[in-house]
């Protein structure tokens, strides 16, 4: 027993077992095997290493965005001239990554709380019975008093009077000059995994350059100052159309970087996308077209609280930062190589299936590949 245990331990530590291999000279099987191996090799080199860059680790940036608008607009309505600056047409005014530039508006001046007839089409009536006192309608401007105004044939409401009339949108837009406003984008990103920080004010973008540059996808692709008309055009929309009823445009700042080369090659790329609607759509009857909101300027007149109501149509800009950085790393490289070597086993499996089940001489190949033992004969030989 002691010798058996010693021999078993010796065999375990000092012997190496290797699978038995059979060399098969068969043209068809050999071609199938090589084709599969070439496909696997092309997948590993072409897809895993070259396209997917499986030899690199990846990181996503943490970033911040600051924006600043510049430009002056001018309107003249019934002889009343007005100049609009940044404080008037940008909402909000803090320089966020998401903001609205007013391009069109409807003003209702001198509103005060009181009772007045509703707008035609909101609460039409023929008698007081059609106006339920104390009730509201979702599309209305106030609370119904229960009276029907004979002059307008609409219900009387308790609201800010006179009620807003927004049925007719100014066309062309009131602030068509917004096409020439400029937007300055300042963006910084940090890739924590690689310890790299970058700004869109890259090498060569200094104060002198910024004062005179204007973004162009070919002539000035790194300039951080954009003309609004160019942004709308590059997103595929017509400026006058989108300025009339409003819309939304995304400015994408793309940081796709390869840190296997110099960090200075990591530079932003700007793209522009319409976030609402399709530039090819011309159907003006579809629901909820454009982008608009309301705000009011409150004041006192003869101790009576009043307000000026603005319905603002504008272009909403969303500055979207997307990033992906890569750098060589031995761990994903070894992982990719190991998975590739494992996939090579597919060729062996396929060729074994062909040999053992499809070829005319499959019985012969089975005898060559497998060694059979007769358990009953082995038992008799042990006892003899």
């Amino acid at each position: 027993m002691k010798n058996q245990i010693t021999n078993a331990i010796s065999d375990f530590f000092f012997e190496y077992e290797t699978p038995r291999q059979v060399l098969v000279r068969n043209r068809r099987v050999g071609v199938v095997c090589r084709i599969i191996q070439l496909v696997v090799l092309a997948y590993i080199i072409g897809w895993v290493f070259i396209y997917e860059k499986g030899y690199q680790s990846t990181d996503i940036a943490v970033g911040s965005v600051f924006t600043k608008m510049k430009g002056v607009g001018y309107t003249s309505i019934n002889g009343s001239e007005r100049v609009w600056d940044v404080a008037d047409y940008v909402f909000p005014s803090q320089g966020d990554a998401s903001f609205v530039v007013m391009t069109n508006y409807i003003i209702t001046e001198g509103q005060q709380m009181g009772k007045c007839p509703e707008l035609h089409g909101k609460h039409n009536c023929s008698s007081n019975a059609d106006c339920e006192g104390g009730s509201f309608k979702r599309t209305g401007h106030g609370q119904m008093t229960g009276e029907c105004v004979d002059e307008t044939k609409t219900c009387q409401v308790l609201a800010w009077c006179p009620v807003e009339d927004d049925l007719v949108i100014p066309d062309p837009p009131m602030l068509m000059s917004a096409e020439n406003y400029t937007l300055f984008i300042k963006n910084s990103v940090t890739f924590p995994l690689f310890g790299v920080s970058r700004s869109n004010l890259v090498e060569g973008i200094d104060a002198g350059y910024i004062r005179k540059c204007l973004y162009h996808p070919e002539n000035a692709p790194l300039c951080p100052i954009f003309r609004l008309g160019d942004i709308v055009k590059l997103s595929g929309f017509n400026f006058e159309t989108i300025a009339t009823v409003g819309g939304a445009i995304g400015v994408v700042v793309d940081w796709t970087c390869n840190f296997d080369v110099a960090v200075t090659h990591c530079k932003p790329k700007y793209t522009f996308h319409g976030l609402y609607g399709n530039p090819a759509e011309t159907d003006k009857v579809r629901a909820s077209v454009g982008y608009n909101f309301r705000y009011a300027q409150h004041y006192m007149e003869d101790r009576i609280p009043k307000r000026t109501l603005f319905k603002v149509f504008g272009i909403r800009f969303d500055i979207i930062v997307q990033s992906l950085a890569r750098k060589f790393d031995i761990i994903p490289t070894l992982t990719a190589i190991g998975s590739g070597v494992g996939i090579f086993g597919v060729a062996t499996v396929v060729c074994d299936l062909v040999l053992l089940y499809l070829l005319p001489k499959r019985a012969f190949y089975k005898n060559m590949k497998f060694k059979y033992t007769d358990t009953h004969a082995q038992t008799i030989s042990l006892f003899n």
Side-chain angles (χ1 to χ4, degrees):
M1 178 64 70
K2 181 178 179 181
N3 291 336
Q4 291 179 349
I5 296 174
T6 303
N7 291 336
I9 295 175
S10 177
D11 292 344
F12 177 78
F13 282 102
F14 302 114
E15 289 184 355
Y16 169 72
E17 297 176 357
T18 183
R20 181 182 181 186
Q21 293 184 343
V22 178
L23 181 61
V24 178
R25 293 188 177 275
N26 186 292
R27 185 174 300 176
R28 284 178 293 181
V29 176
V31 170
V32 169
C33 180
R34 296 297 174 253
I35 290 175
I36 295 175
Q37 289 177 340
L38 286 174
V39 170
V40 172
L41 187 63
Y43 164 77
I44 296 170
I45 297 176
W47 179 265
V48 176
F49 280 96
I50 297 178
Y51 185 79
E52 290 291 333
K53 304 217 172 19
Y55 59 91
Q56 295 176 316
S57 57
T58 61
D59 191 19
I60 297 176
V62 178
S64 64
V65 174
F66 167 81
T67 60
K68 182 184 290 186
M69 289 291 305
K70 285 190 177 181
V72 176
Y74 168 82
T75 58
S76 178
I77 304 174
N78 299 326
S80 176
E81 296 180 307
R82 177 168 179 175
V83 172
W84 302 78
D85 60 18
V86 175
D88 298 317
Y89 61 72
V90 176
F91 309 89
S93 58
Q94 292 85 3
D96 291 343
S98 181
F99 59 94
V100 178
V101 176
M102 180 170 65
T103 56
N104 206 2
Y105 60 87
I106 296 173
I107 297 181
T108 307
E109 296 181 308
Q111 285 187 321
Q112 66 181 64
M113 190 61 63
K115 297 178 181 180
C116 53
E118 182 56 279
L119 196 65
H120 186 73
K122 299 291 185 180
H123 297 313
N124 294 344
C125 63
S126 57
S127 66
N128 292 344
D130 298 328
C131 304
E132 183 182 351
S135 64
F136 299 85
K137 281 194 175 181
R138 183 175 61 86
T139 57
H141 292 92
Q143 183 185 59
M144 286 188 286
T145 63
E147 295 185 17
C148 179
V149 180
D150 293 333
E151 292 79 2
T152 60
K153 293 299 180 181
T154 58
C155 295
Q156 186 185 70
V157 292
L158 175 64
W160 285 97
C161 300
V163 296
E164 177 192 54
D165 184 357
D166 62 347
L167 297 179
V168 179
I169 300 174
D171 190 8
M174 303 296 291
L175 289 173
M176 189 63 186
S177 57
E179 187 174 14
N180 294 315
Y181 297 167
T182 58
L183 166 65
F184 171 59
I185 298 177
K186 190 174 182 180
N187 169 226
S188 62
V189 294
T190 299
F191 296 95
L193 181 63
F194 305 129
V196 176
S197 296
R198 295 289 288 166
S199 167
N200 67 328
L201 305 181
V202 297
E203 296 76 13
I205 309 296
D206 54 18
Y209 179 78
I210 291 177
R211 278 195 296 267
K212 61 182 181 181
C213 81
L214 195 63
Y215 174 84
H216 188 277
E218 296 177 1
N219 301 331
L222 294 176
C223 179
I225 298 179
F226 307 82
R227 179 175 169 270
L228 260 59
D230 294 336
I231 293 177
V232 174
K233 181 179 179 181
L234 291 169
S235 70
F237 284 89
N238 175 270
F239 188 86
E240 183 173 348
T241 301
I242 200 172
T244 302
V245 296
I249 293 177
V251 181
V252 178
V253 187
D254 180 34
W255 292 88
T256 302
C257 301
N258 182 7
F259 291 141
D260 288 336
V261 297
V263 175
T264 54
H265 288 85
C266 181
K267 297 178 180 179
K269 182 179 179 181
Y270 303 97
T271 55
F272 311 91
H273 308 275
L275 301 181
Y276 172 81
N278 187 328
E281 290 179 344
T282 57
D283 182 10
K284 295 185 178 181
V285 300
R286 61 188 194 278
S288 189
V289 176
Y291 178 86
N292 63 77
F293 64 93
R294 292 174 176 84
Y295 80 98
Q297 293 177 344
H298 292 262
Y299 60 94
M300 297 289 291
E301 186 177 281
D302 297 330
R303 296 186 178 182
I304 299 174
K306 293 187 176 183
R307 75 177 189 180
T308 299
L309 179 65
F310 287 81
K311 181 175 182 179
V312 175
F313 301 87
I315 305 175
R316 176 190 174 104
F317 292 94
D318 291 313
I319 315 301
I320 304 167
V321 180
Q322 64 181 28
S323 60
L324 180 64
R326 298 177 179 273
K327 191 174 184 180
F328 174 79
D329 192 339
I330 190 63
I331 294 177
T333 302
L334 294 177
T335 302
I337 293 174
S339 62
V341 172
I343 296 174
F344 268 106
V346 173
T348 303
V349 173
V350 172
C351 291
D352 281 351
L353 290 174
V354 173
L355 278 174
L356 303 177
Y357 300 102
L358 299 179
L359 293 182
K361 296 182 179 180
R362 52 185 176 272
F364 170 74
Y365 291 124
K366 275 188 179 181
N367 291 330
M368 296 298 297
K369 182 173 178 62
F370 300 106
K371 183 178 180 181
Y372 297 94
T373 59
D374 189 339
T375 306
H376 178 70
Q378 187 179 21
T379 303
I380 294 174
S381 63
L382 288 174
F383 283 100
N384 291 336

